[in-house]
Amino acid sequence: MILGLQKNQNNQIPKFADHALVFMLRGIAKKWKQPYAYYYSTSTIQTVDLVSYLKDVVRSVNKTGLKIVATVCDQGGTNQAAINYLMSETCKNYTERNTEKTNLGFEIDGQEIIPIFDPPHLLKCIRNNLFNKDVVFDMDGNTYTASWDHIVAMYDFDKKNEEFELRTLVKLNDNHINIARSKMKVSNAAQVFSHRVASTMKLVSDNAPKGSLLANAVGTAKFCLFMDKTFDSVNARTINPELGKPLRSAVTDKSPHIDHWKYAIKVFESMKFVNKTNGKSTIPPCIKNWIISLKSFLYLWIQLKKHNFKYFLPRHVNQDSLECFFGSVRSHGVRNINPDAYQFVCSFKTLLINNFTSIKSAGNCEHDDSDGTLDNLKQFIESGTNCSLKEPEENNIINIPMFDLPNTFDVCDFTDMTIGYISGYLALQVLATIGLFYVGWKKFGASIADFLDEEIECDADPRNGSLNSNSLYAEAALWLLKQTANRRHICTISIL
């Protein structure tokens, strides 16, 4: 078997691949992720190949019973071309059927899929454009101009207080201002476009001498605050809002997300970047893609409500899980930022088996909040192991006898202490696992050694009213408790 050859759609001669394209599924209702497929490519993948792969993945996923509602990708030229191709193909199909297209997304085999561009990448691209150009935008009936020069001037002004340890913008450093070495870091862009930077700049601008650079920084302050709110609205990970961040919360009918997204779309539609040298105006792709993504978030919420969603967390709709997966591939075993095809396949399979226990990368994204994979080989292998439960006796009470095990060992003091500590920990973990939540005992301060000498009655699991224990595990746990008591590490037991 040969690994690392690109699969071509036009029956061309296979070429050696130097890139891997990965498709990952992410739960929008629950916190799970699942790498689903990968393809090799030589340099940048062709649009026709990407469209074909996407259709194959969607059709395959549909057979599993899962439903794809949206796609998330970065602003790569091939990704944008593939989305445009699918949108044009969908419009053509509607035209041939003489039917008006009323939905927002593209369709594959009649199933609508909403295209969304990764919000962290969009934020980073706005910062990169502002570094070289000024941005002009309309907001609340006024026209403002934001400039990176204002951010640099305020940073230099704030650094003067560093010797007194009284800096206001403590998170900003030289890498935030001179972005050549950190151009790909989303966290730096988010810290520049923050509420603290905006509020500090507004305060400095209001009190700056007339004619100074910072006296005209109101537009930059408003722009930073606008980007901070917009990014919060598509990056929330909790249901309830964080302190001072109403948009960093779950999307609901009563949350401010809908109104802000409609407002932000109008601001982005008026936005343009101006070259500082020749004054030429341009509209970079990131502005258009912000508009597309915000409209998609609005439309996605409408579609989710049709499936009885009461809320959804926008942070589930980004590429952080995929970024973390690639970070795990690069750090699997040894540091390998440029794996070959064989190493990639080995890392891919191992991470699936181990449920992504490899070190995650935080270089260009935040750690994702997923609880793990939807399925992996380790779960599949272990799913065949079932522990039989003992049938409950009358009144949901069981008598657990002690089995004959040695009570003492000839060990040194150090080993004696170690056995006692580990025995106590294991006993508590086993008892918690098998469901011995309530122990009926009259002597609340009795020692465990005395406690184990008498018959024990254990109630059923209070969560469901049924017995949830295994007699063998229970005997082992009680024996461990006795070993612990003999070594005087746990002297009393608290009854709740």
Side-chain angles (χ1 to χ4, degrees):
M1 181 178 180
I2 301 177
L3 295 176
L5 294 179
Q6 179 182 3
K7 177 184 176 182
N8 295 305
Q9 299 298 316
N10 299 325
N11 296 323
Q12 299 176 355
I13 299 176
K15 298 179 181 179
F16 288 104
D18 54 13
H19 286 71
L21 173 69
V22 176
F23 288 88
M24 174 178 280
L25 307 180
R26 177 73 190 269
I28 197 170
K30 294 186 178 181
K31 297 179 180 180
W32 60 265
K33 59 183 177 181
Q34 183 69 46
Y36 196 79
Y38 65 87
Y39 298 88
Y40 292 122
S41 66
T42 302
S43 186
T44 303
I45 191 171
Q46 300 297 315
T47 301
V48 62
D49 292 330
L50 180 57
V51 171
S52 176
Y53 297 157
L54 179 58
K55 289 182 177 180
D56 290 342
V57 169
V58 171
R59 289 163 182 160
S60 176
V61 172
N62 287 338
K63 295 178 181 179
T64 67
L66 297 173
K67 181 179 180 181
I68 297 178
V69 295
T71 60
V72 182
C73 63
D74 59 23
Q75 298 181 99
T78 305
N79 293 334
Q80 297 187 62
I83 291 176
N84 292 334
Y85 179 91
L86 290 168
M87 293 292 289
S88 299
E89 185 180 60
T90 302
C91 292
K92 181 180 178 181
N93 292 336
Y94 273 89
T95 302
E96 292 176 351
R97 297 196 302 264
N98 196 22
T99 306
E100 181 182 2
K101 183 179 183 297
T102 58
N103 54 22
L104 183 67
F106 57 85
E107 294 183 1
I108 296 179
D109 296 340
Q111 176 184 347
E112 183 186 11
I113 299 176
I114 305 169
I116 297 176
F117 292 97
D118 185 39
H121 281 82
L122 294 176
L123 183 74
K124 178 184 62 180
C125 289
I126 290 288
R127 189 275 314 270
N128 293 345
N129 278 278
L130 183 63
F131 181 74
N132 297 316
K133 308 178 185 70
D134 293 340
V135 59
V136 180
F137 58 97
D138 295 335
M139 182 180 291
D140 301 327
N142 298 313
T143 300
Y144 297 96
T145 300
S147 175
W148 191 261
D149 296 336
H150 297 152
I151 297 176
V152 175
M154 187 186 62
Y155 174 72
D156 293 337
F157 180 77
D158 184 59
K159 281 195 68 176
K160 294 179 181 179
N161 289 324
E162 190 169 19
E163 60 178 314
F164 304 107
E165 298 182 359
L166 294 174
R167 283 194 59 191
T168 303
L169 308 175
V170 293
K171 290 186 177 181
L172 297 191
N173 55 47
D174 292 342
N175 290 331
H176 292 79
I177 305 304
N178 303 315
I179 66 173
R181 292 182 298 177
S182 59
K183 202 171 184 179
M184 299 300 294
K185 294 200 69 172
V186 178
S187 60
N188 285 5
Q191 288 167 353
V192 170
F193 295 141
S194 65
H195 183 276
R196 172 167 290 191
V197 171
S199 60
T200 303
M201 185 169 295
K202 179 64 167 59
L203 180 63
V204 172
S205 177
D206 290 343
N207 295 277
K210 292 184 178 180
S212 63
L213 179 61
L214 289 175
N216 300 319
V218 176
T220 306
K222 287 185 173 292
F223 183 76
C224 290
L225 182 61
F226 168 75
M227 293 305 305
D228 176 66
K229 288 183 175 181
T230 302
F231 188 60
D232 282 348
S233 69
V234 294
N235 196 46
R237 69 177 73 189
T238 58
I239 297 177
N240 297 319
E242 299 180 16
L243 182 62
K245 293 282 190 176
L247 287 167
R248 194 177 292 179
S249 61
V251 179
T252 66
D253 282 334
K254 297 182 179 180
S255 67
H257 294 78
I258 307 302
D259 292 336
H260 179 78
W261 287 340
K262 293 178 180 179
Y263 173 79
I265 290 172
K266 295 180 180 180
V267 174
F268 278 117
E269 288 175 342
S270 69
M271 196 175 293
K272 58 184 178 181
F273 283 88
V274 180
N275 190 296
K276 297 180 182 180
T277 303
N278 54 26
K280 183 179 179 181
S281 299
T282 57
I283 300 178
C286 58
I287 292 180
K288 299 178 182 178
N289 294 334
W290 262 117
I291 297 172
I292 292 174
S293 297
L294 292 178
K295 289 181 178 179
S296 295
F297 272 105
L298 281 168
Y299 185 74
L300 176 61
W301 173 234
I302 295 174
Q303 299 304 310
L304 291 178
K305 287 194 295 183
K306 295 179 181 179
H307 293 83
N308 299 321
F309 273 67
K310 302 301 181 183
Y311 68 90
F312 94 96
L313 299 175
R315 181 153 167 70
H316 289 182
V317 189
N318 62 28
Q319 278 191 311
D320 283 355
S321 295
L322 190 58
E323 296 276 1
C324 288
F325 178 75
F326 276 120
S328 297
V329 170
R330 295 187 183 99
S331 62
H332 180 250
V334 295
R335 182 67 175 169
N336 187 4
I337 61 174
N338 191 25
D340 57 29
Y342 176 75
Q343 292 170 333
F344 172 78
V345 172
C346 292
S347 297
F348 190 98
K349 293 180 179 179
T350 304
L351 290 171
L352 286 182
I353 295 174
N354 294 335
N355 200 12
F356 306 113
T357 55
S358 178
I359 299 174
K360 306 296 188 297
S361 170
N364 194 32
C365 65
E366 294 182 281
H367 293 313
D368 64 281
D369 298 324
S370 63
D371 294 331
T373 54
L374 181 65
D375 191 15
N376 57 48
L377 182 58
K378 192 173 184 179
Q379 289 177 334
F380 177 76
I381 293 174
E382 294 179 349
S383 63
T385 304
N386 296 319
C387 295
S388 59
L389 299 179
K390 185 176 179 180
E391 293 296 329
E393 298 180 4
E394 187 177 0
N395 298 326
N396 288 331
I397 296 178
I398 59 173
N399 296 322
I400 304 178
M402 294 297 297
F403 55 94
D404 188 16
L405 287 173
N407 292 326
T408 59
F409 297 93
D410 294 329
V411 294
C412 63
D413 292 339
F414 180 79
T415 306
D416 189 61
M417 295 173 61
T418 304
I419 293 175
Y421 179 83
I422 296 177
S423 298
Y425 172 79
L426 292 176
L428 294 177
Q429 294 299 316
V430 172
L431 289 174
T433 301
I434 65 178
L436 299 181
F437 295 99
Y438 299 101
V439 180
W441 186 247
K442 297 180 180 179
K443 300 178 182 179
F444 288 86
S447 68
I448 295 180
D450 295 336
F451 174 70
L452 294 177
D453 287 338
E454 300 190 20
E455 189 179 68
I456 300 174
E457 295 181 349
C458 300
D459 293 341
D461 188 340
R463 295 173 296 181
N464 52 28
S466 62
L467 187 65
N468 184 22
S469 62
N470 182 286
S471 59
L472 179 61
Y473 288 164
E475 292 179 18
L478 295 177
W479 178 77
L480 287 171
L481 280 175
K482 191 170 183 178
Q483 296 302 314
T484 305
N486 290 338
R487 285 158 178 79
R488 302 180 183 276
H489 286 280
I490 300 179
C491 298
T492 60
I493 186 169
S494 299
I495 310 299
L496 300 179

